[in-house]
Amino acid sequence: MNILILGGGGREHALAWAIKQNPKTDRLIVAPGNAGIALLAECADIDILNGATVVTFCEENAIDFVIVGPEAPLAAGVADATRAAGLLTFGPSAAAARLEASKAFTKEICDACAAPTAGYARFTEAASARAHVKAKGAPIVVKADGLAAGKGVIVAMTEAEALDAIDDMFGGEFGAAGAEVVIEDFMTGEEASFFILTDGVNALPIGTAQDHKRVGDGDTGPNTGGMGAYSPAPVLTDAIAAQAMAEIVLPTIQEMARRGTPYQGVLYAGLMIEEGRARLVEYNARFGDPECQVLMMRLGAQALDLLLACAEGRLSEVRANWADDHALTIVMAAKGYPGAYTKGTVIRGLEALPETSSQMVFHAGTTARDGAITATGGRVLNVTARGATLAEAQARAYAMVDAIDWPEGFCRRDIGWRAL
Ligand code: GLY
């Protein structure tokens, strides 16, 4: 079959890598892709936020299956457009993707189905939001309601930080995403990510992971999109996963179906785990990045069969076959990230690294220029390995990092520390 993946980051490189290994794949196109993806698939430079453009491209290229990677095309209704055109599609409708695109909507759903989550209040102007923070005190969590490229959640450890966040959001720092603000009670515990495929009725858990959001070793410094991840997440035990399914995920899927907006795709539940129980932190309507990289490394070619079963409403017929292994990915970023960084620096040494079922460098922000791989993003490479133990996966991944010649890049040296 001919498959189109929308997106151009490490998540989409990992999806393409896994899907390419499946014999069902004839032609694989990734839009827009990147320099690493171009080594295993065709790349197409189209506007992936425009549903009509994507549909026309699919028709011209006889695409049989569309997989939507990032949240922005989902929120823009691209999966609605491809489905309306009769194309088999993996990814929720814009109405269902509100589980990521609106923090207030997610809270509404949690209220409706009694899913455990932090207490909250919603505000559309600064004065009452500020009064709420003053009444509650810190720590407290301030969230822009809409999509803000991972930057709209402030875990404020002081009242002053929370008040500044409110002023920034209502001051327009996040544009329309900050027109409504959700203020949540601070939750203690350990965070982990739980990934569930759902066809709107059936649900299939496909793995757990933990990422490292802070830029510096020891979980210090500013927040990022994620500096590394590993799977499985030992804190998310089978018993906690079962409780999260029963109390959070399944009630959410049922509530979305009841409202006439069934959720089809991957549901990424960010969970806070404390005293053997999970509470919902947030939902995302897509695979995590870089969590997808470790999930795909462990799933391999079967990922396509699972995504197809999800899109075709056949999830009750399939199961994920896990090896009893571990995978870990290290993000190499441009120096300065998550602040200002230089683009266009040259990365050497990648061609000498192994590309096997247990070691792979996924590209997140690269371009090929004059025969060289150059860095064009903040997060640039995802150096990924699997092993019989997490320690083995970590040692393999850092050995690969050390073989990459990129003076303008950096990474954390402690990915996986919580689980080791
Ligand atoms: N790594 C966090 C995310 O994908 O949202």
Side-chain angles (χ1 to χ4, degrees), residues 299-325:
L299 283 171
Q302 65 175 314
L304 176 60
D305 300 316
L306 298 175
L307 268 51
L308 273 173
C310 179
E312 289 171 343
R314 294 186 291 104
L315 264 185
S316 58
E317 297 169 16
V318 294
R319 54 192 296 260
N321 294 306
W322 290 109
D324 186 16
D325 63 355

PDB file of all heavy atoms in Angstrom, residues 299-325:
ATOM      1  N   LEU A 299       8.444  -1.613  18.959  1.00  0.00           N
ATOM      2  CA  LEU A 299       7.365  -2.262  18.203  1.00  0.00           C
ATOM      3  C   LEU A 299       7.817  -2.731  16.828  1.00  0.00           C
ATOM      4  O   LEU A 299       7.371  -3.773  16.341  1.00  0.00           O
ATOM      5  CB  LEU A 299       6.192  -1.286  18.009  1.00  0.00           C
ATOM      6  CG  LEU A 299       5.278  -1.051  19.192  1.00  0.00           C
ATOM      7  CD1 LEU A 299       4.321   0.098  18.888  1.00  0.00           C
ATOM      8  CD2 LEU A 299       4.491  -2.309  19.540  1.00  0.00           C
ATOM      9  N   GLY A 300       8.679  -1.960  16.173  1.00  0.00           N
ATOM     10  CA  GLY A 300       9.144  -2.314  14.834  1.00  0.00           C
ATOM     11  C   GLY A 300       7.998  -2.375  13.832  1.00  0.00           C
ATOM     12  O   GLY A 300       7.009  -1.636  13.925  1.00  0.00           O
ATOM     13  N   ALA A 301       8.101  -3.322  12.882  1.00  0.00           N
ATOM     14  CA  ALA A 301       7.196  -3.382  11.731  1.00  0.00           C
ATOM     15  C   ALA A 301       5.733  -3.548  12.123  1.00  0.00           C
ATOM     16  O   ALA A 301       4.830  -3.113  11.398  1.00  0.00           O
ATOM     17  CB  ALA A 301       7.615  -4.526  10.818  1.00  0.00           C
ATOM     18  N   GLN A 302       5.454  -4.191  13.274  1.00  0.00           N
ATOM     19  CA  GLN A 302       4.050  -4.422  13.651  1.00  0.00           C
ATOM     20  C   GLN A 302       3.303  -3.103  13.902  1.00  0.00           C
ATOM     21  O   GLN A 302       2.062  -3.084  13.948  1.00  0.00           O
ATOM     22  CB  GLN A 302       3.955  -5.333  14.879  1.00  0.00           C
ATOM     23  CG  GLN A 302       4.528  -4.706  16.127  1.00  0.00           C
ATOM     24  CD  GLN A 302       4.330  -5.544  17.382  1.00  0.00           C
ATOM     25  OE1 GLN A 302       3.248  -6.051  17.628  1.00  0.00           O
ATOM     26  NE2 GLN A 302       5.395  -5.671  18.165  1.00  0.00           N
ATOM     27  N   ALA A 303       4.055  -2.009  14.075  1.00  0.00           N
ATOM     28  CA  ALA A 303       3.396  -0.717  14.306  1.00  0.00           C
ATOM     29  C   ALA A 303       2.385  -0.433  13.198  1.00  0.00           C
ATOM     30  O   ALA A 303       1.278   0.054  13.465  1.00  0.00           O
ATOM     31  CB  ALA A 303       4.431   0.403  14.396  1.00  0.00           C
ATOM     32  N   LEU A 304       2.741  -0.737  11.948  1.00  0.00           N
ATOM     33  CA  LEU A 304       1.809  -0.455  10.846  1.00  0.00           C
ATOM     34  C   LEU A 304       0.524  -1.270  10.999  1.00  0.00           C
ATOM     35  O   LEU A 304      -0.579  -0.748  10.794  1.00  0.00           O
ATOM     36  CB  LEU A 304       2.460  -0.747   9.492  1.00  0.00           C
ATOM     37  CG  LEU A 304       1.518  -0.576   8.282  1.00  0.00           C
ATOM     38  CD1 LEU A 304       0.981   0.847   8.187  1.00  0.00           C
ATOM     39  CD2 LEU A 304       2.215  -0.971   6.985  1.00  0.00           C
ATOM     40  N   ASP A 305       0.652  -2.552  11.359  1.00  0.00           N
ATOM     41  CA  ASP A 305      -0.551  -3.395  11.512  1.00  0.00           C
ATOM     42  C   ASP A 305      -1.460  -2.827  12.607  1.00  0.00           C
ATOM     43  O   ASP A 305      -2.688  -2.837  12.482  1.00  0.00           O
ATOM     44  CB  ASP A 305      -0.151  -4.838  11.845  1.00  0.00           C
ATOM     45  CG  ASP A 305       0.713  -5.433  10.735  1.00  0.00           C
ATOM     46  OD1 ASP A 305       0.363  -5.229   9.562  1.00  0.00           O
ATOM     47  OD2 ASP A 305       1.746  -6.047  11.039  1.00  0.00           O
ATOM     48  N   LEU A 306      -0.857  -2.317  13.672  1.00  0.00           N
ATOM     49  CA  LEU A 306      -1.651  -1.769  14.775  1.00  0.00           C
ATOM     50  C   LEU A 306      -2.349  -0.469  14.347  1.00  0.00           C
ATOM     51  O   LEU A 306      -3.534  -0.258  14.636  1.00  0.00           O
ATOM     52  CB  LEU A 306      -0.769  -1.528  15.996  1.00  0.00           C
ATOM     53  CG  LEU A 306      -0.094  -2.792  16.586  1.00  0.00           C
ATOM     54  CD1 LEU A 306       0.856  -2.419  17.717  1.00  0.00           C
ATOM     55  CD2 LEU A 306      -1.134  -3.784  17.085  1.00  0.00           C
ATOM     56  N   LEU A 307      -1.611   0.388  13.648  1.00  0.00           N
ATOM     57  CA  LEU A 307      -2.201   1.668  13.203  1.00  0.00           C
ATOM     58  C   LEU A 307      -3.319   1.419  12.179  1.00  0.00           C
ATOM     59  O   LEU A 307      -4.361   2.093  12.202  1.00  0.00           O
ATOM     60  CB  LEU A 307      -1.116   2.576  12.618  1.00  0.00           C
ATOM     61  CG  LEU A 307      -0.440   3.548  13.588  1.00  0.00           C
ATOM     62  CD1 LEU A 307       0.076   2.881  14.837  1.00  0.00           C
ATOM     63  CD2 LEU A 307       0.679   4.329  12.914  1.00  0.00           C
ATOM     64  N   LEU A 308      -3.102   0.431  11.319  1.00  0.00           N
ATOM     65  CA  LEU A 308      -4.147   0.096  10.332  1.00  0.00           C
ATOM     66  C   LEU A 308      -5.399  -0.438  11.033  1.00  0.00           C
ATOM     67  O   LEU A 308      -6.523  -0.045  10.705  1.00  0.00           O
ATOM     68  CB  LEU A 308      -3.621  -0.980   9.373  1.00  0.00           C
ATOM     69  CG  LEU A 308      -2.850  -0.492   8.143  1.00  0.00           C
ATOM     70  CD1 LEU A 308      -2.247  -1.686   7.408  1.00  0.00           C
ATOM     71  CD2 LEU A 308      -3.751   0.309   7.213  1.00  0.00           C
ATOM     72  N   ALA A 309      -5.199  -1.345  11.994  1.00  0.00           N
ATOM     73  CA  ALA A 309      -6.347  -1.912  12.706  1.00  0.00           C
ATOM     74  C   ALA A 309      -7.122  -0.803  13.422  1.00  0.00           C
ATOM     75  O   ALA A 309      -8.359  -0.814  13.472  1.00  0.00           O
ATOM     76  CB  ALA A 309      -5.873  -2.969  13.708  1.00  0.00           C
ATOM     77  N   CYS A 310      -6.386   0.173  13.945  1.00  0.00           N
ATOM     78  CA  CYS A 310      -7.022   1.306  14.633  1.00  0.00           C
ATOM     79  C   CYS A 310      -7.866   2.107  13.639  1.00  0.00           C
ATOM     80  O   CYS A 310      -9.045   2.396  13.887  1.00  0.00           O
ATOM     81  CB  CYS A 310      -5.920   2.165  15.256  1.00  0.00           C
ATOM     82  SG  CYS A 310      -6.516   3.605  16.114  1.00  0.00           S
ATOM     83  N   ALA A 311      -7.281   2.428  12.484  1.00  0.00           N
ATOM     84  CA  ALA A 311      -7.988   3.251  11.492  1.00  0.00           C
ATOM     85  C   ALA A 311      -9.177   2.521  10.890  1.00  0.00           C
ATOM     86  O   ALA A 311     -10.167   3.137  10.503  1.00  0.00           O
ATOM     87  CB  ALA A 311      -7.012   3.681  10.392  1.00  0.00           C
ATOM     88  N   GLU A 312      -9.077   1.186  10.817  1.00  0.00           N
ATOM     89  CA  GLU A 312     -10.153   0.397  10.189  1.00  0.00           C
ATOM     90  C   GLU A 312     -11.189  -0.073  11.210  1.00  0.00           C
ATOM     91  O   GLU A 312     -12.103  -0.830  10.854  1.00  0.00           O
ATOM     92  CB  GLU A 312      -9.538  -0.820   9.469  1.00  0.00           C
ATOM     93  CG  GLU A 312      -8.759  -0.418   8.224  1.00  0.00           C
ATOM     94  CD  GLU A 312      -7.953  -1.573   7.625  1.00  0.00           C
ATOM     95  OE1 GLU A 312      -7.731  -2.586   8.326  1.00  0.00           O
ATOM     96  OE2 GLU A 312      -7.543  -1.447   6.464  1.00  0.00           O
ATOM     97  N   GLY A 313     -11.046   0.313  12.477  1.00  0.00           N
ATOM     98  CA  GLY A 313     -12.029  -0.080  13.493  1.00  0.00           C
ATOM     99  C   GLY A 313     -11.929  -1.553  13.859  1.00  0.00           C
ATOM    100  O   GLY A 313     -12.917  -2.170  14.239  1.00  0.00           O
ATOM    101  N   ARG A 314     -10.727  -2.139  13.757  1.00  0.00           N
ATOM    102  CA  ARG A 314     -10.538  -3.561  14.029  1.00  0.00           C
ATOM    103  C   ARG A 314      -9.624  -3.802  15.224  1.00  0.00           C
ATOM    104  O   ARG A 314      -8.962  -4.835  15.313  1.00  0.00           O
ATOM    105  CB  ARG A 314      -9.887  -4.249  12.823  1.00  0.00           C
ATOM    106  CG  ARG A 314     -10.658  -4.329  11.557  1.00  0.00           C
ATOM    107  CD  ARG A 314      -9.877  -5.176  10.538  1.00  0.00           C
ATOM    108  NE  ARG A 314      -8.658  -4.542  10.051  1.00  0.00           N
ATOM    109  CZ  ARG A 314      -7.409  -4.851  10.421  1.00  0.00           C
ATOM    110  NH1 ARG A 314      -7.165  -5.793  11.303  1.00  0.00           N
ATOM    111  NH2 ARG A 314      -6.375  -4.215   9.895  1.00  0.00           N
ATOM    112  N   LEU A 315      -9.566  -2.853  16.135  1.00  0.00           N
ATOM    113  CA  LEU A 315      -8.589  -2.991  17.224  1.00  0.00           C
ATOM    114  C   LEU A 315      -8.850  -4.206  18.101  1.00  0.00           C
ATOM    115  O   LEU A 315      -7.926  -4.745  18.699  1.00  0.00           O
ATOM    116  CB  LEU A 315      -8.598  -1.731  18.100  1.00  0.00           C
ATOM    117  CG  LEU A 315      -7.550  -0.669  17.798  1.00  0.00           C
ATOM    118  CD1 LEU A 315      -7.627   0.425  18.830  1.00  0.00           C
ATOM    119  CD2 LEU A 315      -6.140  -1.241  17.717  1.00  0.00           C
ATOM    120  N   SER A 316     -10.112  -4.632  18.176  1.00  0.00           N
ATOM    121  CA  SER A 316     -10.421  -5.787  19.027  1.00  0.00           C
ATOM    122  C   SER A 316      -9.774  -7.066  18.479  1.00  0.00           C
ATOM    123  O   SER A 316      -9.648  -8.053  19.190  1.00  0.00           O
ATOM    124  CB  SER A 316     -11.930  -5.978  19.131  1.00  0.00           C
ATOM    125  OG  SER A 316     -12.463  -6.145  17.837  1.00  0.00           O
ATOM    126  N   GLU A 317      -9.303  -7.031  17.214  1.00  0.00           N
ATOM    127  CA  GLU A 317      -8.729  -8.243  16.599  1.00  0.00           C
ATOM    128  C   GLU A 317      -7.224  -8.343  16.762  1.00  0.00           C
ATOM    129  O   GLU A 317      -6.628  -9.336  16.364  1.00  0.00           O
ATOM    130  CB  GLU A 317      -9.019  -8.235  15.075  1.00  0.00           C
ATOM    131  CG  GLU A 317     -10.466  -8.289  14.719  1.00  0.00           C
ATOM    132  CD  GLU A 317     -10.676  -8.009  13.229  1.00  0.00           C
ATOM    133  OE1 GLU A 317      -9.719  -8.074  12.436  1.00  0.00           O
ATOM    134  OE2 GLU A 317     -11.827  -7.692  12.881  1.00  0.00           O
ATOM    135  N   VAL A 318      -6.559  -7.289  17.266  1.00  0.00           N
ATOM    136  CA  VAL A 318      -5.086  -7.299  17.264  1.00  0.00           C
ATOM    137  C   VAL A 318      -4.532  -7.132  18.675  1.00  0.00           C
ATOM    138  O   VAL A 318      -5.238  -6.707  19.592  1.00  0.00           O
ATOM    139  CB  VAL A 318      -4.513  -6.164  16.370  1.00  0.00           C
ATOM    140  CG1 VAL A 318      -4.843  -6.398  14.923  1.00  0.00           C
ATOM    141  CG2 VAL A 318      -5.000  -4.792  16.837  1.00  0.00           C
ATOM    142  N   ARG A 319      -3.283  -7.495  18.817  1.00  0.00           N
ATOM    143  CA  ARG A 319      -2.584  -7.228  20.078  1.00  0.00           C
ATOM    144  C   ARG A 319      -1.151  -6.830  19.761  1.00  0.00           C
ATOM    145  O   ARG A 319      -0.627  -7.161  18.686  1.00  0.00           O
ATOM    146  CB  ARG A 319      -2.628  -8.432  20.995  1.00  0.00           C
ATOM    147  CG  ARG A 319      -2.120  -9.720  20.400  1.00  0.00           C
ATOM    148  CD  ARG A 319      -2.485 -10.882  21.296  1.00  0.00           C
ATOM    149  NE  ARG A 319      -1.837 -10.774  22.588  1.00  0.00           N
ATOM    150  CZ  ARG A 319      -0.735 -11.445  22.921  1.00  0.00           C
ATOM    151  NH1 ARG A 319      -0.172 -12.271  22.077  1.00  0.00           N
ATOM    152  NH2 ARG A 319      -0.198 -11.286  24.104  1.00  0.00           N
ATOM    153  N   ALA A 320      -0.532  -6.107  20.686  1.00  0.00           N
ATOM    154  CA  ALA A 320       0.864  -5.712  20.496  1.00  0.00           C
ATOM    155  C   ALA A 320       1.742  -6.805  21.087  1.00  0.00           C
ATOM    156  O   ALA A 320       1.514  -7.241  22.215  1.00  0.00           O
ATOM    157  CB  ALA A 320       1.127  -4.379  21.191  1.00  0.00           C
ATOM    158  N   ASN A 321       2.713  -7.273  20.303  1.00  0.00           N
ATOM    159  CA  ASN A 321       3.624  -8.311  20.797  1.00  0.00           C
ATOM    160  C   ASN A 321       4.926  -7.659  21.247  1.00  0.00           C
ATOM    161  O   ASN A 321       5.724  -7.225  20.420  1.00  0.00           O
ATOM    162  CB  ASN A 321       3.917  -9.329  19.687  1.00  0.00           C
ATOM    163  CG  ASN A 321       2.659 -10.092  19.341  1.00  0.00           C
ATOM    164  OD1 ASN A 321       2.018 -10.665  20.217  1.00  0.00           O
ATOM    165  ND2 ASN A 321       2.286 -10.068  18.071  1.00  0.00           N
ATOM    166  N   TRP A 322       5.088  -7.594  22.535  1.00  0.00           N
ATOM    167  CA  TRP A 322       6.273  -6.931  23.081  1.00  0.00           C
ATOM    168  C   TRP A 322       7.392  -7.923  23.332  1.00  0.00           C
ATOM    169  O   TRP A 322       7.161  -8.993  23.891  1.00  0.00           O
ATOM    170  CB  TRP A 322       5.953  -6.271  24.427  1.00  0.00           C
ATOM    171  CG  TRP A 322       5.068  -5.095  24.301  1.00  0.00           C
ATOM    172  CD1 TRP A 322       3.766  -5.024  24.691  1.00  0.00           C
ATOM    173  CD2 TRP A 322       5.400  -3.832  23.751  1.00  0.00           C
ATOM    174  NE1 TRP A 322       3.275  -3.781  24.403  1.00  0.00           N
ATOM    175  CE2 TRP A 322       4.260  -3.032  23.828  1.00  0.00           C
ATOM    176  CE3 TRP A 322       6.563  -3.295  23.191  1.00  0.00           C
ATOM    177  CZ2 TRP A 322       4.241  -1.730  23.374  1.00  0.00           C
ATOM    178  CZ3 TRP A 322       6.537  -1.995  22.740  1.00  0.00           C
ATOM    179  CH2 TRP A 322       5.391  -1.228  22.839  1.00  0.00           C
ATOM    180  N   ALA A 323       8.614  -7.546  22.923  1.00  0.00           N
ATOM    181  CA  ALA A 323       9.783  -8.257  23.424  1.00  0.00           C
ATOM    182  C   ALA A 323       9.979  -7.736  24.859  1.00  0.00           C
ATOM    183  O   ALA A 323       9.541  -6.632  25.188  1.00  0.00           O
ATOM    184  CB  ALA A 323      10.983  -7.921  22.570  1.00  0.00           C
ATOM    185  N   ASP A 324      10.608  -8.532  25.689  1.00  0.00           N
ATOM    186  CA  ASP A 324      10.831  -8.101  27.065  1.00  0.00           C
ATOM    187  C   ASP A 324      12.108  -7.243  27.083  1.00  0.00           C
ATOM    188  O   ASP A 324      13.150  -7.679  27.580  1.00  0.00           O
ATOM    189  CB  ASP A 324      10.959  -9.355  27.938  1.00  0.00           C
ATOM    190  CG  ASP A 324      11.052  -8.987  29.413  1.00  0.00           C
ATOM    191  OD1 ASP A 324      10.709  -7.841  29.758  1.00  0.00           O
ATOM    192  OD2 ASP A 324      11.492  -9.842  30.193  1.00  0.00           O
ATOM    193  N   ASP A 325      12.031  -6.055  26.467  1.00  0.00           N
ATOM    194  CA  ASP A 325      13.248  -5.263  26.297  1.00  0.00           C
ATOM    195  C   ASP A 325      13.017  -3.810  26.707  1.00  0.00           C
ATOM    196  O   ASP A 325      11.929  -3.451  27.191  1.00  0.00           O
ATOM    197  CB  ASP A 325      13.725  -5.344  24.838  1.00  0.00           C
ATOM    198  CG  ASP A 325      12.702  -4.742  23.879  1.00  0.00           C
ATOM    199  OD1 ASP A 325      11.600  -4.357  24.337  1.00  0.00           O
ATOM    200  OD2 ASP A 325      12.990  -4.652  22.686  1.00  0.00           O
TER     201      ASP A 325
END
